[in-house]
Amino acid sequence: MQIGPHSLPNRLFVAPMAGVTDRPFRQLCRRLGAGYAVSEMVTSRKELWGSLKTSRRADHAGEPGPIAVQIAGTDAAMMAEAAGYNIDRGAQIIDINMGCPAKKVCNKWAGSALMRNEALALEIVEAVVAVCAPRGVPVTLKMRTGWSADERNALRLATLFEAAGIAMLTIHGRTREQGYKGLAEYDTIAAVKAALGIPVVANGDVDSPEKARDVLAYTGADAVMIGRAAQGRPWIFREVSHFLATGEHLPAPTVTEARDVLTEHLHDHYGLYGELSGVRSARKHIGWAVRGLPGGEAFRQHMNTLERCEEQLQALRDWFDELGQTHHRLPPAAVPAANDDEADDMACAAA
């Protein structure tokens, strides 16, 4: 798998998710088998670049390359400037967001709303490519199948984007109107892949090794992008990788390994956000990790009352140690691993 000059170790990607795919989470997924990870979306509004939120999102310290930064906005000149700004700060790939369905974003005609204004969408692509190409930085783009079932224009836009210099295209198999509800469809992704010469990545509802295999086979896509299914389950990437290579399933992580993986993640998380913000923003990661496990809901409610890093870490260790007394490996979750549409929309809107 290749993006411009960058060779990737595999074709399993971490989806950019605002409020989720910060540097600690990206590094965690890469350690556990993901071949590529894209940052949370960074605003193109220059007056916000100095904000704490944006500075955290632009933090790539110790991150393995290639470093990919997603930018969002509606003004071609501002998007081009944002691309240059992030390249100066270490970005090796720039990704354009045309996929976020959140009302807060779409009401400003950013994200997937840009698909309704094809002329502006193309103008933004051309402006960003013009800044990035002389610096040897590939530009990629993530979008949906269209605005609604009656306005599926991904194929037409994909052809224009390829001609304008996009190096790789990711398609989420839903319209903006669907949000995260319903089932993803892959016919549009297959049609785009058949028409384009650049790499195409399939996204949407990839939540198991079998689903990854089937989506790759059906669409002919060069890679799959996994988002919500990695929340609380970052080892899904090594599970999928092993299955694609051997046709066999890896055993679930041991309870001890899951505890240690989450503990390491929390340490990195606190290091980026500090104690006050870190404890609170870590709650969602812990909640995802214990969701559907025996006693997980009661523990999540207790954990949400804790306000100090050490208290949170100790409670986590104690809970997993207790689970380990009855289970050597993580038991199957009693609920789907990733189906919180409201939380996803809120996270996207936080950009």
Side-chain angles (χ1 to χ4, degrees):
M1 186 68 198
Q2 194 88 9
I3 306 176
H6 305 290
S7 297
L8 307 180
N10 62 43
R11 49 185 182 160
L12 306 176
F13 298 175
V14 186
M17 297 175 282
V20 180
T21 49
D22 52 20
R23 175 174 51 81
F25 187 79
R26 294 194 302 270
Q27 289 177 312
L28 174 66
C29 292
R30 293 289 297 271
R31 287 197 299 271
L32 292 173
Y36 179 66
V38 184
S39 78
E40 308 170 80
M41 59 175 146
V42 176
T43 180
S44 61
R45 294 171 56 189
K46 189 173 184 178
E47 68 270 20
L48 297 179
W49 290 349
S51 69
L52 182 58
K53 178 188 288 188
T54 299
S55 65
R56 284 171 174 161
R57 292 184 176 189
D59 188 328
H60 312 293
E63 188 172 356
I67 293 169
V69 174
Q70 186 181 82
I71 59 174
T74 60
D75 182 89
M78 289 172 62
M79 288 284 280
E81 189 175 9
Y85 172 85
N86 282 283
I87 292 170
D88 290 341
R89 280 148 187 79
Q92 297 168 295
I93 297 172
I94 294 295
D95 186 68
I96 297 173
N97 183 317
M98 290 193 191
C100 179
K103 291 180 181 179
K104 177 180 177 181
V105 176
C106 289
N107 285 346
K108 298 177 182 177
W109 288 96
S112 55
L114 282 169
M115 297 184 70
R116 300 193 87 181
N117 188 336
E118 295 183 4
L120 176 59
L122 182 59
E123 182 185 359
I124 287 172
V125 168
E126 291 173 340
V128 173
V129 169
V131 167
C132 295
R135 303 181 68 170
V137 174
V139 179
T140 62
L141 186 144
K142 187 171 188 285
M143 65 180 181
R144 292 193 162 228
T145 59
W147 179 260
S148 66
D150 296 329
E151 297 181 70
R152 283 202 178 101
N153 58 343
L155 179 57
R156 183 167 60 252
L157 280 173
T159 304
L160 294 172
F161 293 158
E162 180 182 37
I166 289 294
M168 183 182 77
L169 192 66
T170 300
I171 303 176
H172 184 131
R174 287 182 173 87
T175 64
R176 187 273 164 185
E177 191 175 67
Q178 284 180 269
Y180 295 96
K181 296 179 172 63
L183 298 175
E185 58 92 1
Y186 306 108
D187 290 335
T188 301
I189 301 174
V192 170
K193 173 56 189 173
L196 267 57
I198 59 174
V200 173
V201 183
N203 176 227
D205 293 349
V206 179
D207 58 3
S208 70
E210 289 88 352
K211 191 60 176 284
R213 174 201 61 196
D214 294 346
V215 169
L216 285 168
Y218 187 82
T219 64
D222 301 275
V224 290
M225 181 172 278
I226 299 174
R228 292 175 290 163
Q231 295 172 357
R233 189 185 162 198
W235 40 80
I236 188 174
F237 296 100
R238 73 182 185 193
E239 293 174 347
V240 172
S241 179
H242 182 81
F243 182 79
L244 293 179
T246 68
E248 299 176 353
H249 286 277
L250 281 177
T254 66
V255 172
T256 299
E257 182 189 12
R259 178 201 66 193
D260 292 346
V261 164
L262 190 52
T263 298
E264 181 182 1
H265 179 210
L266 290 184
H267 278 297
D268 290 344
H269 191 87
Y270 301 148
L272 178 63
Y273 293 98
E275 180 162 65
L276 180 61
S277 295
V279 166
R280 295 179 180 180
S281 56
R283 290 171 181 166
K284 59 178 177 285
H285 292 283
I286 299 171
W288 290 327
V290 304
R291 181 170 47 189
L293 297 179
E297 178 57 24
F299 171 69
R300 186 188 67 82
Q301 293 182 19
H302 167 66
M303 179 268 302
N304 284 346
T305 68
L306 305 178
E307 298 287 349
R308 296 184 59 81
C309 295
E310 193 50 49
E311 289 177 337
Q312 200 174 58
L313 283 169
Q314 189 61 54
L316 179 76
R317 286 191 290 261
D318 291 345
W319 186 84
F320 272 99
D321 287 345
E322 183 176 350
L323 181 65
Q325 293 176 13
T326 55
H327 297 81
H328 174 58
R329 296 189 180 275
L330 283 183
V335 296
N339 195 30
D340 192 343
D341 297 323
E342 182 179 0
D344 290 318
D345 194 61
M346 290 174 62
C348 192

